[in-house]
Amino acid sequence: MASVEIQNVRKAYGDFETIKGVSVDVPDGAFVVLVGPSGCGKSTLLRMIAGLEEITGGTIRIGGRVINDVEPKNRDIAMVFQNYALYPHMTIAENMGFSLRLAKKSKEEIASRVADAARILGLTDYLQRYPKQLSGGQRQRVAMGRAIVRNPKVFLFDEPLSNLDAKLRVQMRAELKDIHARIRTTTVYVTHDQIEAMTMADRIVVMRDGIVEQVGAPLELYDKPANTFVASFIGSPSMNFLSTKVSQDRTSVATENGIKLPLGSEASAAPGTAVIYGIRPEHLTIAASGEGIPVTVTNIEPTGSETFVQGVVDGQKISAQLRERLFIKTGDVLNLTLVPANGHLFDAATGVRL
Ligand SMILES: Nc1ncnc2c1ncn2[C@@H]1O[C@H](COP(=O)(O)OP(=O)(O)OP(=O)(O)O)[C@@H](O)[C@H]1O
Ligand SMILES: [Mg+2]
């Protein structure tokens, strides 16, 4: 096992800089997830760790050794891609052992390493089958097995579950986490799915446009997002943002027409400052009569276990995820309330947390 240290790494394609100085520390044995919207540079960063892309600037270390100019095959990493094509004419055992055969390992060693990986992955009974005789999830496990048999210092995953259907993805997510808990190989995992990131990571790196917006434990990012980008990216459904101004005594903010939102602690911004007030849909509840903020309902989505309500408060959109069944219709006014400590304040101009 080994740590991965990424220091001020840059990547340019011609004049266009895709990665604009990224630093990330992946401690030995950690499971770090890179997350961010399409095109933000996740795969590029992962491919630079793997050695499949050259680095324009900065340093990458694996286990303390600078590997900028080390050949991919000498980096002691194993990568699993989204498109993990298996060789159709080889059995599962042959697929899993292929890289070891290329590395000229002995038959006995290959057989024993494949057997070990198959045991970890629950594939022992499938080793003599061919890929087409396996389910999607089993094939995904074979792709994992190809990485595990190499016993690398670091696993690199690029959206390995995105080809699977929703149910299988949830199941494989748990399996991957379980495998990591057992073998503890340092892992860098790329996804654009924030739920996958939240549930699997020890530490999440949120990227946007080639920079790191925030690094932290999943619940740290959820509780204290550094800016409106992270706040809207982490958590589903997304956080509500309302344009407001800080009150005279700084204990609340108010919308243009005076809908008051109490704060958990005094605002650091001066009275009258324009700020963005953030509140997550799951932190709104039905108010006692005569209390709360009046929301005119524009859409209602019952899921059975909860009701997702969209509406408008003082001309601004807001959504609420309510844990009860509601007998309301669009156009109704619903009074919603919130715990002041669950509110977030951001600078109106920069989006930075206040
Ligand atoms: N070979 C290349 N030449 C020029 N530009 C490239 C090349 N590869 C990637 N890019 C650009 O670099 C940026 C980052 O791409 P990258 O594949 O790393 O994004 P990503 O975060 O993995 O996105 P996705 O979630 O869609 O996979 C994109 O704007 C992309 O167009
Ligand atoms: Mg990608």
Side-chain angles (χ1 to χ4, degrees), residues 25 41 46 97-98 163 173 193 243-244 300 302 310-311 316 335:
D25 253 351
L46 202 68
F98 189 63
N163 277 346
R173 191 160 93 193
D193 180 339
S243 298
T244 59
I300 308 149
Q310 282 147 311
Q316 304 191 56
N335 281 322

Side-chain angles (χ1 to χ4, degrees), residues 174-311:
E175 281 188 23
L176 276 182
K177 224 178 132 175
D178 180 50
I179 291 166
H180 180 257
R182 281 183 282 150
I183 63 180
R184 287 272 154 213
T185 303
T186 309
T187 300
V188 185
Y189 186 105
V190 164
T191 180
H192 61 263
D193 180 339
Q194 61 91 21
I195 300 273
E196 221 167 272
M198 291 294 283
T199 52
M200 296 179 88
D202 301 326
R203 192 180 291 186
I204 297 179
V205 178
V206 182
M207 291 179 66
R208 171 167 64 161
D209 289 344
I211 61 159
V212 171
E213 290 283 357
Q214 193 173 4
V215 179
L219 294 181
E220 259 168 53
L221 300 194
Y222 179 89
D223 291 336
K224 286 207 159 57
N227 51 45
T228 48
F229 176 78
V230 176
S232 64
F233 198 81
I234 298 291
S236 174
S238 253
M239 188 186 282
N240 294 298
F241 296 118
L242 300 170
S243 298
T244 59
K245 285 200 170 126
V246 177
S247 69
Q248 279 311 312
D249 64 1
R250 304 200 295 197
T251 61
S252 65
V253 295
T255 60
E256 198 179 351
N257 291 308
I259 305 282
K260 202 173 142 189
L261 301 153
L263 300 176
S265 57
E266 211 168 273
S268 55
T273 310
V275 291
I276 296 169
Y277 178 85
I279 183 82
R280 295 192 182 280
E282 61 271 34
H283 290 150
L284 289 163
T285 50
I286 305 279
S289 69
E291 289 175 20
I293 56 173
V295 175
T296 306
V297 176
T298 55
N299 191 31
I300 308 149
E301 295 172 346
T303 67
S305 59
E306 54 199 15
T307 310
F308 189 51
V309 175
Q310 282 147 311

Side-chain angles (χ1 to χ4, degrees), residues 13 16 18-19 36-45 53 82 158-159 190-192:
Y13 293 106
F16 182 69
T18 306
I19 303 285
S38 186
C40 71
K42 306 179 295 293
S43 296
T44 305
L45 190 58
E53 293 287 352
Q82 174 180 349
D158 196 351
E159 312 230 13
V190 164
T191 180
H192 61 263

